[in-house]
Amino acid sequence: MSAEGVPHHAAEKLFTSLETRADPVLKVLLHDPEWALTPDWPLGPYQRHVLAWWMAAQILRTTRQRKRLIHQRAEAPDITGLPPEVRTLAQNNPHLRYIVENIATLALALEARPWALGFSDMCLLTSDTPIAVWNRPDDEDQLRAAALSDVMLPLDPHCFLFLPGPATRAADPRKWVDHLMHAKGAIGFALVEVAYDVADQFVIHHPQHDPWKHWKPNSLGQPKPWDGQTHSAPHYVLEYPVFPLARTSNVAGLWSTHRLAPQLWHTPDRDKVAEQGVGL
């Protein structure tokens, strides 16, 4: 959107293109008829590349990012080398400019990280901030934040992607490469807490997989300085065992008939699903 609230169609075309290319990869991750954690893991190089670009867009395009940028009013770097049509869009919209400047570098950084595909016994939720950059969601340098932090993306009510940061993976060589994880008990509660804390205006959960029936976060969440919030930010540390890659050790996926379609959680127009969620 422009400063006057007018949509930038070129930007929407970019996001739509990323969504279209990512959709088949999400189906690979979520639509296995037998297993909750697909045996087609790790992803191939092209699948990983496509999903990394889509994830970078999800991190950068949120309302939380836009409010952070407006609040900080940071001086923007030089963009004279960009194509004229992209430069014009970026000049009219500081948030779009920020996306244009950072999406490629962020995508490459995410692509180079080890990834975990996880299953949570606890029902998960998502929000208008669909990817949680742990402990640094509003860092002035989002590229540094993504490089140093754990990164989590809930995919559906029980499956998620988790990119362990340097500290989380340091002591376990099995986390230096792509792996699987099974979030049992309190670990699942922690995932819900983190997703809840980074939400800007609303959270979303599947009506048949309601996390509030089991446990509801009561924290103040990550502070929003643009709203005058000054409380201390919560800090998270996660330790988890690596789940075996063997198909015989996988989590049975019979529950998957109740899964939430990924396009509902990760639609380009998140306002259309706001009524499915819980306002903050």
Side-chain angles (χ1 to χ4, degrees):
M1 303 288 287
S2 70
E4 294 76 30
V6 179
H8 285 306
H9 298 296
E12 286 305 313
K13 285 182 180 179
L14 169 63
F15 295 139
T16 300
S17 173
L18 295 176
E19 295 266 354
T20 300
R21 287 189 291 170
D23 187 61
V25 184
L26 293 172
K27 288 179 179 177
V28 169
L29 296 179
L30 298 176
H31 291 182
D32 190 276
E34 298 181 25
W35 305 105
L37 296 174
T38 177
D40 296 322
W41 183 263
L43 295 173
Y46 175 77
Q47 294 171 312
R48 185 187 187 88
H49 178 76
V50 165
L51 202 56
W53 270 84
W54 176 77
M55 290 169 62
Q58 300 305 311
I59 291 174
L60 296 174
R61 67 182 295 191
T62 63
T63 57
R64 189 176 187 110
Q65 285 282 12
R66 184 170 72 246
K67 293 174 182 178
R68 179 186 69 80
L69 291 167
I70 293 173
H71 179 72
Q72 291 181 345
R73 299 285 184 181
E75 182 178 351
D78 178 49
I79 60 169
T80 54
L82 293 175
E85 65 276 10
V86 176
R87 186 169 65 248
T88 300
L89 287 175
Q91 288 170 338
N92 291 337
N93 187 324
H95 187 199
L96 179 58
R97 175 176 179 150
Y98 182 78
I99 295 171
V100 168
E101 291 165 352
N102 291 281
I103 189 170
T105 304
L106 180 56
L108 292 173
L110 295 173
E111 187 176 352
R113 295 272 296 272
W115 294 11
L117 177 63
F119 178 87
S120 171
D121 291 346
M122 174 72 171
C123 297
L124 301 176
L125 54 80
T126 187
S127 77
D128 50 1
T129 307
I131 297 183
V133 179
W134 288 37
N135 300 321
R136 298 176 178 89
D138 304 309
D139 196 292
E140 184 173 338
D141 187 342
Q142 286 287 288
L143 299 179
R144 178 186 63 184
L148 296 178
S149 307
D150 298 334
V151 176
M152 179 185 70
L153 166 64
L155 294 169
D156 76 4
H158 288 274
C159 288
F160 60 95
L161 283 176
F162 187 79
L163 283 60
T168 302
R169 64 181 187 260
D172 190 344
R174 295 174 299 173
K175 297 175 185 174
W176 299 353
V177 296
D178 291 354
H179 53 283
L180 298 175
M181 63 184 292
H182 184 186
K184 300 180 180 180
I187 295 180
F189 292 2
L191 301 182
V192 171
E193 176 78 57
V194 174
Y196 180 86
D197 284 350
V198 300
D200 180 29
Q201 297 175 303
F202 62 86
V203 296
I204 305 167
H205 62 75
H206 191 283
Q208 294 174 303
H209 297 268
D210 184 352
W212 303 151
K213 292 181 179 179
H214 310 286
W215 177 75
K216 184 175 182 178
N218 58 7
S219 83
L220 295 175
Q222 293 287 343
K224 303 171 184 175
W226 49 89
D227 285 343
Q229 297 179 1
T230 59
H231 60 270
S232 298
H235 185 82
Y236 322 105
V237 177
L238 180 65
E239 295 183 5
Y240 65 91
V242 171
F243 194 66
L245 279 171
R247 185 181 179 91
T248 54
S249 302
N250 210 327
V251 181
L254 297 178
W255 64 274
S256 62
T257 54
H258 299 295
R259 281 182 167 173
L260 182 61
Q263 58 266 30
L264 178 57
W265 274 29
H266 304 295
T267 174
D269 186 356
R270 304 186 66 81
D271 291 339
K272 292 181 180 178
V273 298
E275 68 273 10
Q276 299 280 341
V278 180
L280 299 178

